[in-house]
Amino acid sequence: MCPHRGECRCAAVARMSDLDALLARPGFRGGLIDTVPGVVGEMLSLLGDVVAITVAGPVAVNDSGKYAVPTVPGDPLVCTPGLVSLRLNPSALGSVVTTDAEQHLPPTLRMFDTHGSSSHTTYLTPASDRLAFEAIRNAADASREANPPIQTSNTPAFWAEADQLTQLDFILADRGSERRNGLVALGALGYRRIDPHLMAAGMEHLSYQQLPVTTVVAGNGCLQIHRGDLDAAAMFGGTLTLASDTCRTMIDLNGVAECWLTRTHGVHGLTSSIEMYDFRRKCVAVFTQTGPAEPAVMDMWEDVLTSISAAS
């Protein structure tokens, strides 16, 4: 029973978006930026050293360093070592809020999608450029530009020819909902549902070899992408934690409904990926190989994923 009785606001709170909850928080100090998120994204690289965080249901990633200039659907996939890489879907992003420093928190910049759900958060550090932060706060208003439509065919014939860019942009369009609906029909292409715990064991094995892995965390209208050697992987309770350079990815396996082994065309030909989905059938993370890699790296990656598939 609600303790507020006649003054009950539980239903209203339950319907409140992340954006509304932040703006309504007692003592909130900050405000909405007047320009569109796409303009803010182009300015992120000016901030200098920051901590970048994306949360996607049971998966959270944080990385520290400088931003690369974010890419958008249709752009090449850029994942520069040592830089924080984002791929944004401007048409899915609605608002950006900046907050002032609080007791134990630095100033932040927070992106939200068109429904007010949290997309990506930037925490300033002592090494951040505060003048750039103020410039972003006062960025001139800009009209929202139309973006090229993301291809949404979901047939076996389409996916037989699709590349990794198509795979990621398809997920970016709607958090992978439509893609998930078509996965069952792609068995002839080598797509298989796999055991999330075997996937975790596979990651631990790959960390012993410090194999390079591309990690993609799929937030609302935002992909945070990291490519680097997998330095460590370990289970703590029900959470798998992955460490790669300055990047940490935490996966609560209790919140993962499905893992799929999928295959799309990459630099080295047909390349396997692991796609993770939550209980809303939204894609929350992708693990794969992108960019240049030694043949031995690709062979080990494919061997481990084949073993996971066979044992699932």
Side-chain angles (χ1 to χ4, degrees):
M1 179 179 293
C2 174
H4 300 101
R5 297 186 182 179
E7 300 177 359
C8 177
R9 297 170 58 237
C10 294
V13 171
R15 291 193 298 268
M16 188 176 289
S17 69
D18 297 332
L19 174 60
D20 291 338
L22 175 65
L23 297 177
R25 191 177 67 194
F28 170 75
R29 295 173 55 206
L32 287 160
I33 296 178
D34 288 334
T35 193
V36 295
V39 171
V40 173
E42 293 172 358
M43 301 176 72
L44 289 176
S45 61
L46 303 176
L47 289 173
D49 289 324
V50 298
V51 176
I53 297 176
T54 299
V55 177
V59 180
V61 61
N62 68 77
D63 202 353
S64 59
K66 299 178 175 64
Y67 281 105
V69 176
T71 60
V72 297
D75 286 347
L77 183 64
V78 178
C79 191
T80 307
L83 296 179
V84 178
S85 298
L86 300 182
R87 194 169 183 86
L88 303 177
N89 181 5
S91 63
L93 297 173
S95 305
V96 183
V97 173
T98 59
T99 65
D100 297 332
E102 299 182 30
Q103 287 183 341
H104 303 291
L105 289 176
T108 68
L109 184 151
R110 301 166 185 254
M111 291 187 181
F112 298 85
D113 71 6
T114 53
H115 302 290
S117 297
S118 180
S119 175
H120 179 75
T121 301
T122 305
Y123 287 83
L124 269 60
T125 72
S128 298
D129 189 329
R130 300 303 175 98
L131 292 178
F133 183 67
E134 291 303 319
I136 292 175
R137 276 185 146 174
N138 297 294
D141 189 15
S143 59
R144 187 180 295 271
E145 296 182 1
N147 296 291
I150 299 172
Q151 287 184 292
T152 55
S153 176
N154 204 20
T155 64
F158 174 80
W159 286 112
E161 302 298 327
D163 60 18
Q164 291 175 314
L165 270 178
T166 302
Q167 173 192 15
L168 295 180
D169 284 347
F170 211 94
I171 290 168
L172 181 57
D174 67 350
R175 294 284 307 279
S177 292
E178 185 174 356
R179 176 158 168 78
R180 168 58 191 84
N181 290 338
L183 289 179
V184 176
L186 302 179
L189 302 180
Y191 286 43
R192 296 286 186 274
R193 187 168 171 177
I194 59 177
D195 186 330
H197 290 87
L198 290 179
M199 169 270 178
M203 286 296 180
E204 289 189 72
H205 175 75
L206 293 174
S207 72
Y208 300 147
Q209 312 300 322
Q210 294 197 315
L211 201 79
V213 175
T214 298
T215 300
V216 182
V217 174
N220 299 300
C222 167
L223 304 179
Q224 184 165 335
I225 307 168
H226 176 84
R227 182 176 186 271
D229 293 349
L230 186 57
D231 299 318
M235 289 290 295
F236 300 97
T239 299
L240 173 65
T241 299
L242 307 175
S244 176
D245 303 323
T246 58
C247 182
R248 300 292 181 272
T249 305
M250 288 72 68
I251 305 164
D252 179 3
L253 293 182
N254 295 315
V256 175
E258 299 176 1
C259 276
W260 285 81
L261 185 149
T262 65
R263 308 193 78 193
T264 47
H265 294 277
V267 173
H268 301 277
L270 207 54
T271 303
S272 297
S273 302
I274 296 171
E275 298 180 17
M276 308 187 80
Y277 290 82
D278 65 12
F279 286 94
R280 299 174 302 159
R281 306 185 98 182
K282 300 287 188 181
C283 184
V284 292
V286 180
F287 300 95
T288 190
Q289 293 291 330
T290 60
E294 296 292 332
V297 168
M298 296 302 300
D299 289 345
M300 180 176 294
W301 173 257
E302 296 295 339
D303 286 347
V304 169
L305 265 61
T306 299
S307 298
I308 294 171
S309 176
S312 294

